[in-house]
Amino acid sequence: QKEVEQDPGPLSVPEGAIVSLNCTYSNSAFQYFMWYRQYSRKGPELLMYTYSSGNKEDGRFTAQVDKSSKYISLFIRDSQPSDSATYLCAITYSSASKIIFGSGTRLSIRP
Amino acid sequence: DVKVTQSSRYLVKRTGEKVFLECVQDMDHENMFWYRQDPGLGLRLIYFSYDVKMKEKGDIPEGYSVSREKKERFSLILESASTNQTSMYLCASSSYSYEQYFGPGTRLTVT
């Protein structure tokens, strides 16, 4: 079993829709949960991270962690064509441990 | 802004050649990483370094070696390139593992 699983998509939604991206993980010891965004022909960039459980909001983006079900989510409100990218979830045990990345979900926002 | 640069965006090499991929960061980060990214497999860690002259194997170190003689520079070496090493190579640096800053990537083709 992979340590983190992510649906590869692709996911295509109309502009303005709410987008939900999800990952599941296998080990309850993970403490940091991240979302990276990768535009075509670029390296990934950190979008948000959450320590332990709960929600974190940054503008149109909300990251959610449910440790009881080992489920992490990223919600994008009022989606824009500029949000079209591949989104990678990532997990790690501590601030000094290596990151384990999901395989990424390709998202396309239709104007 | 953190800047991570990689020596080449595109590289074509022949089987058996020795290949050097260079990465430089300008934020005085202790940690540096080399990943490869393949469709459906996500980001896989090859090697990482948490200090000058220190290195640790990642998940797929076979066929690769690294060098870190200066804090800002981390090199990935393919001793004898093979076709199964055709991939996108991404370098990253960080102070904390959950917040990694990536370079633009090098797309390596081995023929």
Side-chain angles (χ1 to χ4, degrees):
Chain A
Q1 183 186 8
K2 285 185 179 179
E3 291 181 283
V4 60
E5 302 262 12
Q6 184 173 11
D7 186 336
L11 183 61
S12 180
V13 302
E15 184 175 353
I18 296 174
V19 176
S20 172
L21 303 169
N22 308 292
C23 291
T24 58
Y25 62 95
S26 58
N27 192 329
S28 58
F30 289 117
Q31 292 287 346
Y32 289 85
F33 306 91
M34 295 76 74
W35 286 96
Y36 281 77
R37 178 175 61 193
Q38 185 175 20
Y39 290 115
S40 181
R41 290 183 292 277
K42 300 271 178 126
E45 57 177 342
L46 179 67
L47 199 55
M48 301 175 71
Y49 80 89
T50 308
Y51 173 71
S52 192
S53 60
N55 291 2
K56 189 171 187 178
E57 191 172 316
D58 184 1
R60 297 183 294 108
F61 298 87
T62 300
Q64 191 172 79
V65 177
D66 182 347
K67 295 195 83 177
S68 62
S69 56
K70 300 190 189 72
Y71 200 80
I72 58 177
S73 302
L74 178 71
F75 298 98
I76 307 174
R77 292 185 302 280
D78 187 25
S79 56
Q80 304 293 311
S82 58
D83 296 328
S84 297
T86 297
Y87 290 81
L88 301 109
C89 63
I91 53 178
T92 188
Y93 294 105
S94 75
S95 63
S97 306
K98 64 180 185 180
I99 290 180
I100 301 162
F101 285 90
S103 55
T105 299
R106 183 178 295 180
L107 172 67
S108 177
I109 309 297
R110 306 189 302 270
Chain B
D1 275 355
V2 176
K3 193 158 186 185
V4 179
T5 57
Q6 295 184 229
S7 49
S8 305
R9 290 302 303 271
Y10 301 93
L11 211 51
V12 180
K13 295 292 182 181
R14 293 195 180 274
T15 301
E17 278 193 83
K18 191 168 187 175
V19 182
F20 293 87
L21 301 181
E22 300 279 324
C23 175
V24 178
Q25 52 98 0
D26 67 357
M27 281 302 290
D28 203 35
H29 284 159
E30 295 81 11
N31 306 312
M32 296 189 74
F33 309 83
W34 275 107
Y35 296 89
R36 63 179 283 177
Q37 186 174 32
D38 300 287
L41 297 177
L43 282 160
R44 292 182 292 167
L45 182 64
I46 304 171
Y47 267 97
F48 65 101
S49 169
Y50 53 88
D51 202 352
V52 175
K53 298 192 186 293
M54 305 301 287
K55 60 186 179 184
E56 294 282 344
K57 291 180 181 179
D59 300 316
I60 51 164
E62 297 78 19
Y64 304 94
S65 62
V66 290
S67 173
R68 193 168 181 198
E69 296 296 319
K70 293 184 177 182
K71 191 174 186 179
E72 68 271 18
R73 190 178 296 268
F74 193 33
S75 302
L76 179 69
I77 303 150
L78 286 66
E79 295 291 342
S80 177
S82 64
T83 55
N84 62 13
Q85 292 178 311
T86 291
S87 186
M88 170 69 84
Y89 289 88
L90 289 157
C91 174
S93 73
S94 76
S95 288
Y96 303 104
S97 67
Y98 53 81
E99 190 173 14
Q100 294 189 11
Y101 294 86
F102 284 83
T106 295
R107 185 165 292 282
L108 172 68
T109 302
V110 182
T111 61

